[in-house]
Amino acid sequence: MCGIAAYFSRSEAGAAAQVMLALYSQQHRGQESSGITTTNGKFLQMHKAMGYVKEIFSQDVLEQLNGFAAIGHVRYPTRGSAVLTNAQPYIIETLSGPIYAIASNGDIVNYEEVALELQSRGVHFTSTNDGELLGRFIVYHHERKGLEITEAIQLLMKRVRGAYSAVFLTRNHLYIFRDIQGFRPLLMGRVGDDIAVASESCALDILHATEIREVQPGAIIVVTPNTTYEVPLSPALFSGVGEAPTMRQCIFELIYFSRPDSYEFGEYVYEVRHKIGAKLASYDDFEADVVIPVPDSANFIALGYADAKGVPFHMGLIRNHYVGRTFIRPDQYLRDESVRQKFNPLKDFFRNKRVVVVDDSIVRGTTIRKIIRMIQRAGAREVHLRIGSPPVRFSCFYGIDTPTRQELIANNMTLDQIREYVGADSLKYLKIEDLRNCVNQPNHFCYACFTGQYPVPKHAYLRTSMEKEQI
Ligand code: AMP
């Protein structure tokens, strides 16, 4: 998973500072690396580094990144390891210099196939990241095949399968596009005459953007110094390859990944989470003393539960906000350690209480097992675990960093075995039909991590034999 942003100013320079603010609001989408590329109309400049947005983009760095338009990225590695060569944006050098750059969020399913095809035509890659693949695809078809950039992007939409929400910058234009199934969110808005783009609306709020709207799947928005126009999804793209596939927005964005103050996929994230909590509450008929969330991702789910049941909601676990997302830590040892450093229970709060603990999901089970033990040691009489999603049984191939199927606890254990492993007195997951009822257009979502029904026929596109084994 990653976050992207772009800013096109029609009046002055300073686009980099705006993109930095948008990335800062989206730090939860990726903490490994961050980068910004700007254009001053003559050439592109870039700064990227490993680490947090605020640390990388000091005032000095921002002042050097001058230009009226900029794109940026925060990375959380899915494809390619966490090294600087895989950080985005990517600048694509040509004989005319550094004049193209791209930043994208998602995961490409047929990466190898498209990369091999481009390589066989003499295109070289400097990383294993899909942002570079998208960028080189566009530049190859524009520079060497003479297509307009919008035509090259349309061809890309036909050839490249999987998830990509992307921003592509040239010396004078910004192109904004989203894959035809719309797996990842992408929104844009106006700041006066300027155009701002981000993966999540919370980042546009901080820029005081108005007229915020979603970029439609398969659409291309072109921003020039004088105008902004849209090239809608073209049905001609699919002649010979069947129907346009239906929208498959990632339901996990709403459950866990996005910030609750964001609006995306036609939904307010906090509202969906509140509804999920109310559904979970409808499964129970016992009286708990208190409902607590695993902060922060389950806060609104727990609140929904508490509101529906009339049970007091409390923040019984205190989270150290400086630890970062434990799941994103690259290896198991770091993950184990940081769970303990991340949460601490309130003293004397749990003593003798019947507690409902709400979390958004269980992936490997590492986090919740430790948390339940903490709450029990703090004196709780009973701990009932409620999960705001169905069991995660399948890996994601569209940009969420789920581990291999073998590591997913719900793939290996029955419900009762999981309950025993995590040490809860009872365990209930949200039912998939109830999850579907929490959104306005349930048929427009991807539920593959719960159902194994992958919207892109992945067997045709698997990258390695190891991945084939995992399915
Ligand atoms: P685990 O300890 O592996 O069961 O991790 C589950 C916790 O990590 C959940 O409580 C979520 O809040 C969070 N989580 C779930 N999926 C992801 C993901 N793809 N990336 C980062 N964090 C996640």
Side-chain angles (χ1 to χ4, degrees):
M1 183 60 53
C2 302
I4 60 170
Y7 197 87
F8 198 106
S9 169
R10 297 248 171 61
S11 49
E12 51 185 304
Q18 296 288 73
V19 167
M20 189 278 268
L21 279 177
L23 294 178
Y24 189 37
S25 307
Q26 300 184 110
Q27 188 78 78
H28 60 286
R29 296 186 71 86
Q31 303 164 344
E32 289 286 351
S33 62
S34 181
I36 296 179
T37 305
T38 56
T39 175
N40 56 16
K42 297 191 188 83
F43 56 87
L44 271 52
Q45 300 177 80
M46 176 158 71
H47 183 74
K48 58 184 175 183
M50 305 301 288
Y52 289 90
V53 174
K54 262 286 156 96
E55 287 157 10
I56 298 169
F57 295 104
S58 62
Q59 202 52 38
D60 283 355
V61 169
L62 286 176
E63 274 163 21
Q64 280 164 30
L65 282 173
N66 52 35
F68 59 89
I71 61 174
H73 190 267
V74 283
R75 175 158 198 256
Y76 149 5
T78 42
R79 150 164 289 281
S81 50
V83 291
L84 192 57
T85 44
N86 277 328
Q88 294 194 40
Y90 267 101
I91 284 202
I92 292 158
E93 294 268 353
T94 67
L95 292 177
S96 319
I99 56 168
Y100 304 104
I102 189 159
S104 92
N105 168 209
D107 207 357
I108 293 168
V109 176
N110 60 341
Y111 177 93
E112 252 76 41
E113 183 191 294
V114 179
L116 282 175
E117 191 181 310
L118 286 174
Q119 278 163 349
S120 72
R121 297 185 198 178
V123 176
H124 295 291
F125 289 84
T126 59
S127 76
T128 54
N129 186 279
D130 11 345
E132 183 181 8
L133 181 81
L134 298 175
R136 293 207 183 272
F137 187 101
I138 297 167
V139 172
Y140 172 82
H141 287 94
H142 176 55
E143 292 254 332
R144 294 217 228 146
K145 294 285 174 186
L147 297 189
E148 295 294 332
I149 289 181
T150 48
E151 290 169 340
I153 296 174
Q154 285 186 323
L155 186 63
L156 180 152
M157 288 176 179
K158 189 169 170 172
R159 288 281 296 112
V160 182
R161 306 300 312 274
Y164 41 91
S165 282
V167 282
F168 182 80
L169 186 66
T170 68
R171 280 174 288 193
N172 287 301
H173 293 174
L174 171 67
Y175 298 80
I176 309 158
F177 61 95
R178 203 166 151 213
D179 66 76
I180 51 182
Q181 288 170 289
F183 285 100
R184 300 284 143 224
L186 190 63
L187 297 101
M188 58 186 289
R190 286 188 180 282
V191 182
D193 290 333
D194 301 348
I195 299 291
V197 183
S199 298
E200 287 187 37
S201 69
C202 66
L204 298 176
D205 292 341
I206 202 145
L207 302 179
H208 303 287
T210 57
E211 297 173 48
I212 294 174
R213 67 179 182 94
E214 299 190 63
V215 176
Q216 289 308 303
I220 306 167
I221 315 278
V222 187
V223 188
T224 78
N226 309 314
T227 181
T228 301
Y229 62 92
E230 176 166 348
V231 181
L233 175 65
S234 157
L237 270 185
F238 306 101
S239 62
V241 292
E243 298 276 294
T246 41
M247 248 197 240
R248 286 290 176 257
Q249 304 167 123
C250 171
I251 195 74
F252 215 69
E253 288 270 355
L254 298 175
I255 294 170
Y256 166 74
F257 214 84
S258 297
R259 254 173 54 165
D261 51 336
S262 284
Y263 171 87
E264 64 194 29
F265 304 154
E267 306 282 349
Y268 290 107
V269 177
Y270 78 91
E271 218 170 70
V272 173
R273 292 187 190 166
H274 198 269
K275 282 186 204 162
I276 287 175
K279 294 276 181 207
L280 284 173
S282 72
Y283 302 165
D284 288 333
D285 50 18
F286 67 93
E287 286 307 317
D289 295 315
V290 67
V291 178
I292 67 149
V294 176
D296 289 319
S297 43
N299 288 357
F300 281 92
I301 305 178
L303 194 59
Y305 185 108
D307 286 348
K309 269 244 167 295
V311 178
F313 166 91
H314 280 279
M315 300 296 293
L317 289 172
I318 298 306
R319 174 178 160 193
N320 177 345
H321 285 96
Y322 303 94
V323 173
R325 281 193 158 180
T326 41
F327 190 98
I328 299 180
R329 307 303 295 264
D331 63 49
Q332 191 64 35
Y333 173 76
L334 285 177
R335 251 191 317 268
D336 284 355
E337 269 307 292
S338 44
V339 172
R340 246 177 294 143
Q341 291 164 13
K342 189 167 171 180
F343 300 106
N344 199 31
L346 293 180
K347 299 282 170 272
D348 281 345
F349 173 82
F350 287 103
R351 186 144 309 139
N352 224 12
K353 287 202 173 93
R354 213 173 184 202
V355 183
V356 170
V357 177
V358 179
D359 203 356
D360 58 277
S361 58
I362 304 181
V363 180
R364 301 177 182 84
T366 323
T367 321
I368 200 64
R369 184 178 198 217
K370 290 195 158 56
I371 286 173
I372 288 179
R373 205 168 302 157
M374 251 179 221
I375 295 172
Q376 285 162 340
R377 285 208 191 107
R381 180 155 51 98
E382 287 172 24
V383 179
H384 300 275
L385 178 60
R386 300 295 175 262
I387 302 297
S389 60
V392 176
R393 292 206 172 92
F394 299 88
S395 300
C396 175
F397 295 95
Y398 316 121
I400 295 268
D401 177 32
T402 5
T404 62
R405 277 201 78 187
Q406 285 70 21
E407 291 172 85
L408 296 172
I409 192 169
N411 178 49
N412 298 321
M413 294 189 193
T414 62
L415 186 73
D416 204 49
Q417 285 168 333
I418 300 173
R419 185 201 57 71
E420 207 175 304
Y421 174 80
V422 300
D425 291 287
S426 73
L427 165 64
K428 285 181 189 165
Y429 283 93
L430 184 70
K431 295 182 189 132
I432 190 125
E433 57 275 22
D434 286 334
L435 174 59
R436 292 173 62 90
N437 284 331
C438 290
V439 292
N440 296 316
Q441 292 190 293
N443 292 338
H444 285 181
F445 284 88
C446 172
Y447 304 91
C449 53
F450 310 126
T451 62
Q453 287 163 16
Y454 291 98
V456 177
K458 68 192 177 318
H459 278 95
Y461 297 112
L462 287 177
R463 299 180 199 116
T464 61
S465 51
M466 213 174 91
E467 279 184 355
K468 282 181 190 154
E469 279 164 26
Q470 286 162 16
I471 290 172

